[in-house]
């Protein structure tokens, strides 16, 4: 048995976390540029504190990031050396449409990605492209209020029309919105939503989500029209919820918490709003404005595959005495006493990946794609600049074993696996460089110092061997 023969092994990045060059090539300003490192970051990404431009008091790591804008050839060559079959990256919307609402795209931005995709193909690497990885042109936020406005659907449609046509033959795997459920937890970073004092936030978030869901369905339709070879996926920040105890109330609460995230994927994959969500929104007084034809669009243009990120499982409890929490991907969770945590408090749970894969496959019966997984850790280069990251290898090996078990023992259909931050990049949650995920070390620190030189960590050769053996050899 084993993994598919054409299993898509690779790594993943996002434009704003690695490209830098925020004002190069005619690129416009975006929400992801103006989220600084430091204690203000979280209120800003949550839409509670306004930051629509740079100021002198903050440092904005995404401005230069690891400058992949000027290093992409070198970086893709290293990915090729590791044997990547795919490279997941995102397009920076404001490189293609600097303001977002122009009629004509920016040729320089289009050319940049065309060159990058051609570079991938030189090494037999198939690009896997996230159309929007948290980014939204700042002009669309200031003029239209970002995704709370229905007009966003048209701007996104323009973007899709342009990129699907321009990159036909170069790209066939697409994801419409990165971690679409993050709109609930990081609404400014996830969807450009900033809330005015007194605004009904739930109403704004779910209305914006509806616009994104319709836009995602339109993108899926156009992708299939432009090239029947195109395959389009949704993307969920996954991580199964465990009830803290077997108390029925805890079990029910875990189901509710899972549904909060599954809601988006239920619409994108099954093509309709699930009954539990309609009831919940009704109870909470949230009314989604829809237009004629929306429900048909959703029904007729479901995704081809389900992609997701997995870093940790999560825990819920109804007992107020169970109140010890720990950090997780953007939002915190009740601490699981059976699990170790990373240096950032994220719970390490390889079996949780297998559980998550089974839940998703049971629910949707469509091929899955793990497009993010990895360990954010502090790497200390030795006197020769070498990072012996055995802790990262251990994390990845355990997760890959759980992934293989889900495929080989449970029969889950899995298209591929792209490890998050295959090259060190800026953390989305904290803005730090110190939180590294890569097989490739980049000399750059939290303050923006460093030569930007790239070097291979121990995990580089390990992952190369994993890929060469199609996952058979996970040994160190
Ligand atoms: C996911 C995002 O939420 O997790 C990535 O899609 C992000 O953009 C990754 O970088 C890891 O999170 P963090 O906060 O460690 O960068």
């Amino acid at each position: 048995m084993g993994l598919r023969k054409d299993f898509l092994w690779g790594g993943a990045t996002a434009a704003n976390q690695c490209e830098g060059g925020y004002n190069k090539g005619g690129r416009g300003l975006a929400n992801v540029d103006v989220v600084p490192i430091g204690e203000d970051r979280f209120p800003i990404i949550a839409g509670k504190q306004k930051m629509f431009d740079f100021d002198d008091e903050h440092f904005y790591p995404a401005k230069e990031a690891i400058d992949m804008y000027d290093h992409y050839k070198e970086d893709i060559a290293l990915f090729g050396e590791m044997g990547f079959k795919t490279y997941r990256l995102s397009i920076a919307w404001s490189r293609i449409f600097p303001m977002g609402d122009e009629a004509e795209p920016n040729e320089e931005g289009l050319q940049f990605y065309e060159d990058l995709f051609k570079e991938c193909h030189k090494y037999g690497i198939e690009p896997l492209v996230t159309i929007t990885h948290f980014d939204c042109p700042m002009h669309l936020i200031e003029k239209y209020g970002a995704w709370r406005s229905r007009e966003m659907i048209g701007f996104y449609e323009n973007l899709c029309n342009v990129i699907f046509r321009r990159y036909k033959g170069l790209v066939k795997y697409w994801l419409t919105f990165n971690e679409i459920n993050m709109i609930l937890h990081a609404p400014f970073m996830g969807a450009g939503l900033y809330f005015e004092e007194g605004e009904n936030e739930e109403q704004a978030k779910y209305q914006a989500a509806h616009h994104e869901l319709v836009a995602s369905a339109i993108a899926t339709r156009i992708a299939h029209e432009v090239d029947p070879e195109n395959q389009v996926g949704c993307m969920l920040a996954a991580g199964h919820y465990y009830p803290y105890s077997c108390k029925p109330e805890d079990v029910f609460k875990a189901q509710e918490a899972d549904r909060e995230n599954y809601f988006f994927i239920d619409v994108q994959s099954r093509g309709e709003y699930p009954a539990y969500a309609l009831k919940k929104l009704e109870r909470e007084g949230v009314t989604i404005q829809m237009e004629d034809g929306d429900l048909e669009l959703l029904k007729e243009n479901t995704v081809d595959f389900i992609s997701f990120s997995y870093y940790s499982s999560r825990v819920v409890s109804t007992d107020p005495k169970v109140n010890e929490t720990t950090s997780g991907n953007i939002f915190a969770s009740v601490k699981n006493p059976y699990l170790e945590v990373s240096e950032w408090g994220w719970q390490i749970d390889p079996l949780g990946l297998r559980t998550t894969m089974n839940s998703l496959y049971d629910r949707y019966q469509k091929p899955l794609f793990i497009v993010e997984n990895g360990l954010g850790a502090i790497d200390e280069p030795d006197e020769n600049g070498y990072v012996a990251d055995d802790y990262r290898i251990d994390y990845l090996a355990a997760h890959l074993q759980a992934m293989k078990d889900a495929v080989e023992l449970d029969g889950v259909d899995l298209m591929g696996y792209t490890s998050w931050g295959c090259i060190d990049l800026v953390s989305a949650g904290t803005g730090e460089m110190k939180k590294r995920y890569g097989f490739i070390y980049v000399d750059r620190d939290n303050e923006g110092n460093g030569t930007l030189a790239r070097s291979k960590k121990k995990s580089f050769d390990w992952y190369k061997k994993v890929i060469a053996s199609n996952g058979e050899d996970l040994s160190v």
Side-chain angles (χ1 to χ4, degrees), residues 152-186:
M152 288 295 285
I153 298 174
F155 304 138
Y156 184 86
E157 185 175 346
N158 285 347
L159 173 70
C160 291
N161 260 314
V162 166
I163 60 177
F164 292 156
R165 283 168 220 284
R166 174 72 171 240
Y167 303 131
K168 184 174 173 177
L170 285 173
V171 179
K172 62 177 184 230
Y173 297 106
W174 302 91
L175 307 179
T176 53
F177 288 90
N178 180 62
E179 297 191 333
I180 190 163
N181 48 325
M182 279 298 179
I183 196 171
L184 301 179
H185 311 285

Side-chain angles (χ1 to χ4, degrees), residues 186-201:
F188 181 69
M189 185 168 74
L193 298 181
Y194 166 72
F195 304 106
E196 295 296 345
E197 192 80 17
E199 183 175 4
N200 180 340
E201 294 187 15

Side-chain angles (χ1 to χ4, degrees), residues 60-123:
Y60 302 89
K63 274 179 150 180
E64 281 97 27
I66 59 160
D67 192 25
M68 205 191 255
Y69 188 73
D70 290 314
H71 289 71
Y72 74 89
K73 290 192 179 166
E74 178 186 348
D75 297 340
I76 291 169
L78 288 165
F79 300 158
E81 193 182 328
M82 265 187 284
F84 279 20
K85 313 286 180 222
T86 189
Y87 168 41
R88 175 179 175 229
L89 70 145
S90 76
I91 283 189
W93 187 343
S94 62
R95 281 200 193 286
I96 312 293
F97 287 99
M99 311 277 275
D101 58 358
E102 301 93 330
E104 294 303 320
N106 170 35
E107 176 54 31
E108 219 175 325
L110 280 173
Q111 191 62 47
F112 170 71
Y113 291 110
E114 183 177 327
D115 294 345
L116 192 154
F117 297 146
K118 286 184 173 158
E119 199 66 22
C120 289
H121 283 289
K122 269 195 203 166
Y123 300 92

